[in-house]
Structure formats: structure tokens, C-alpha cells
Amino acid sequence: MAIGFDYGTANCSVAHLVESSVEQIPLVGENCYISSTLCAPTAETVSEYLFRCLGIRPANEVGEAVLRRAIKMNREEGIEVDTGDVLFGEQALNLYLEDPKDVYYIKSPKSFLGGMGLRDVQLSFFEDLVCAMMSNVKRQAECHLGETVTQTVIGRPVNFLGRGGEASNLQAEGILRRAANRAGFKDVEFQFEPVAAGLEFESTLTEDKNVLVVDIGGGTTDCSYIQMGPSWVGKADRQASLIAHTGQLVGGNDLDIYIAFRRFMHAFGMGTKRHNGLDIPVTQFWNPIAINDVQAQRKFYAHDNLKELTMLTKEALEPEKVVRLAKLHKETLGYAIIREAEKAKIALEESNDYRAMLDLFSEQVGIEVSAADMAVAIDNPTKKIQALVKEAAQQAGTQPDAIFMTGGSARSTVLRAAVQQVLPDIPVVAGNYFGSVTAGLARWADVCYR
């Protein structure tokens, strides 16, 4: 049996085709979406969990070395890995929020894929994270369907990171493929996420059109200019219909990060000075919330950096603020700060004002955020998204008949207006913001494996 698998930055979802209709498959109760999050007692638990609890072996010698090291470290810590030690989705988030300091928590590991300059052992560990999440989704889907799923089409962005070019994309796709194979998928194909969303939109058309698909997901924004309609439906060779593609690592995570950076981090001392008149380094405020940057996270949460933060607190003119930064480090609160920024982003789609509450355990910090504040805060990622839309239209050389916007962040009125500003005379349409990619992947899976 074949399914479409949207291994997303924010959420994962799967679907299959039943008599020409797409059916999404529940993964958590009746919910068809599971947050792309994972929680475990330690990072090493994940690798041993795959081997000991699921019978999934590493794909190569590097993976075997990572597993041996994980087993050794878990034994030294007195950790006996059990099936219930690794949690996913909302369960993982809730456990992290209860006690951030004493658990390993990760959100959106897809954001790390394609990173250049990483060691083989780091890449192998990312593969274990992806494999654990894919295996969980596969098992939940099979439980609902009552049959084994062995074939899948996985969505991928046009560019995972961009900085490493095609080498970056090949590295990321390789991790996804190996993880999927290890999770039990025998046949794995890939499709660009905006193309998949376009295939779903195409199923609603009664005439051929040129459509610019703008997919603003949790981690990336991807644009595909596609010729689509009844003439193309069901064709296995779509190459002639795919006119242009652009993509970059800018999406919902970036919106959350910029909201947190521009609106929240002043409460932690950003913009204040030391007694000698020097500013506190801005990287100390960016790194803890840059959840899609492995190196930034490592630098901030390094043990030596706590000494630096303690020194900065003593030197600060407003130490009561900077001490919160040290608290953020000690309690590993970066993800919790981003979670509150995400809640602000969502709330401000329905209201002009939102009062964010940052829970630092020892105190609650309230920060007012307006819709106008948010628009200013996300100006940088907004301009990047506009540039991608403009580039795709320029590559195509013709104006599209319609712009199809999809992805969770495409709900943003700020971003929709920004896209419309680039192509002011083109109608903007939308479908299922969260499900279009998944549905299109299911349709493509039916074509690939029929």
C-alpha cells in the first residue's frame, strides 16, 4: 500500500487515495496531524530506543558507532531504555514544558537537514531522530488502516537550506530516504512540496491554467510555477508542466523567531548596556531562540557560556533583565519562548493585540504585542518571501492566471498582502492550508505506484 507523507517542519501528516478521493489518516486519536516534536530522557536514548524497542538497526558503520556510544552513555547514567521513554507530538511538548531542564526535546529536526560542516556522527544522529518520528507515524497509520504500508512519496522543499546548494539538498534527501527505509518503507519517492500542493489544487480545476503555487511552511517557503488542469491530471511525466521553482529556508519558524527576538528579548536585556558603556552581544539574545540553527543552539547552551552570562549579569546596568538570560540557559527555555511567540502569531490573526506571558518559573513576564508590532518584527522574512515569489514569476517569463497559497503560515494576512503586492493583478486563492501538500503527495503516490 502507498501513502503520501508530509514530513513537515511544524507537523507530520499522511494520506492515501481511495477511489480517486484523498483520505487523510488519523495519527493521534481522530487528529490527522502530529507536531514534529520529540522528547526523551537524553539525546542518546533515541538511538538506543530505535534498536532496543523497535528493532531498527543503523544504516552504516557511523550509525553503529553512534549506537554503541549511546548504549554506553545510557548505562553510565543508569538509564534503561523502554518503549515509553520517547514521546512524540503534543505529548513531547507537554513533558518538556513541565520540566525543560531534565529532558531532551527537539522541535522541527527537518530544519537541520542539509546543514554543511556537520560531522558524520551528527548527521547520523539526525537520521535517528527522523527515523524515530517516521516510524511512529507509520505505525499509527498502519494501526488505523489495518494493513502494512510499504510505499511512500515524501514531500521535500525546493531547497532545504540553500547555503550548500545541491550538495545540501542531496545530503538532506539522503537522510530522509535512509530514515524512511529503516522505518520500513521499501519504496521511497520524493516530490517538491509546492508541486504536491499544486496537484491537489489541480483536481479542482475544470480548465487548464498557469498557477504560481506559494507554499509557506514551517521551515521553508517554496514557489512552483505549474501548468495544470484536466490535460495534465494523472500523467506520470509532468516535466513539461513544471516551469519554475524557487525556495529558501524561511517560514513559520522564522516568523516565530523574529517575533521573539524583536518583541521578547528586550525583557532579557537586549539593547541594554554594561557599566563600561558597551552593548551586551546581540548573539546572546539570538542564539537561544534560533531553534533552526544547530550551531547557534550549541553556542548558547554550552557550559562555558553560562560563565559568560554570569559575568554579563554582574557588568550589566540592568542586571535584573540579564539574569533572566542566565535563567533561560539554566532551564533550557528557548523552545518555550518560541512557543509563546507562535501563540502570539496565531492570536494576532484574529485580534489586534495579544499579551504574551513568558513563564520563567521564578516569575511570569508579560509583554504586549500588537498586530502592527508583529508586522514590523517579521519584516525580514516577509521580504525574503516576496523575493522568492518575484523570482519564480521572472523565471517563468509570463504572468500566472492565479496564485495558490498554502502552508500553515499562508494564513497570515501580512504575508498574503505581501505576496499580492508582488503580483497585484493576479487573483490569490487558497485551499486547505495544512492538508494540500499531503493530499497532493497521496495523488502522486497513486501515479507512481499504480
Side-chain angles (χ1 to χ4, degrees), residues 140-190:
Q140 298 303 323
E142 289 174 337
C143 182
H144 176 81
L145 294 169
E147 58 182 295
T148 302
V149 179
T150 59
Q151 298 173 316
T152 187
V153 173
I154 301 173
R156 55 150 288 187
V158 173
N159 291 304
F160 283 86
L161 284 181
R163 291 189 295 272
E166 193 54 26
S168 173
N169 291 330
L170 289 172
Q171 181 232 86
E173 192 172 288
I175 289 174
L176 290 174
R177 185 182 296 278
R178 288 191 299 275
N181 288 152
R182 292 172 64 199
F185 291 107
K186 294 180 180 178
D187 300 310
V188 178
E189 298 289 340
F190 292 93

Side-chain angles (χ1 to χ4, degrees), residues 201-202 205 207-213 224-230 232 238 240-243 396-404 423 426-427 429:
F201 179 58
E202 180 179 63
L205 298 179
E207 60 180 346
D208 289 355
K209 290 182 179 292
N210 292 331
V211 179
L212 178 59
V213 180
S224 287
Y225 190 108
I226 309 172
Q227 292 177 347
M228 62 173 69
W232 294 98
R238 292 294 301 252
S241 72
L242 307 179
I243 310 303
T398 59
Q399 293 281 81
D401 298 312
I403 302 168
F404 177 63
L423 297 168
I426 309 300
V429 296

Side-chain angles (χ1 to χ4, degrees), residues 73 172 302:
M73 293 186 70

Side-chain angles (χ1 to χ4, degrees), residues 322-333 360-362:
V322 183
V323 74
R324 292 173 181 156
L325 199 59
K327 178 77 171 178
L328 194 159
H329 181 289
K330 292 175 184 176
E331 301 295 341
T332 322
L333 293 174
L360 306 181
F361 295 110
S362 58

Side-chain angles (χ1 to χ4, degrees), residues 39 58 129 188:
C39 188
L129 290 173
V188 178

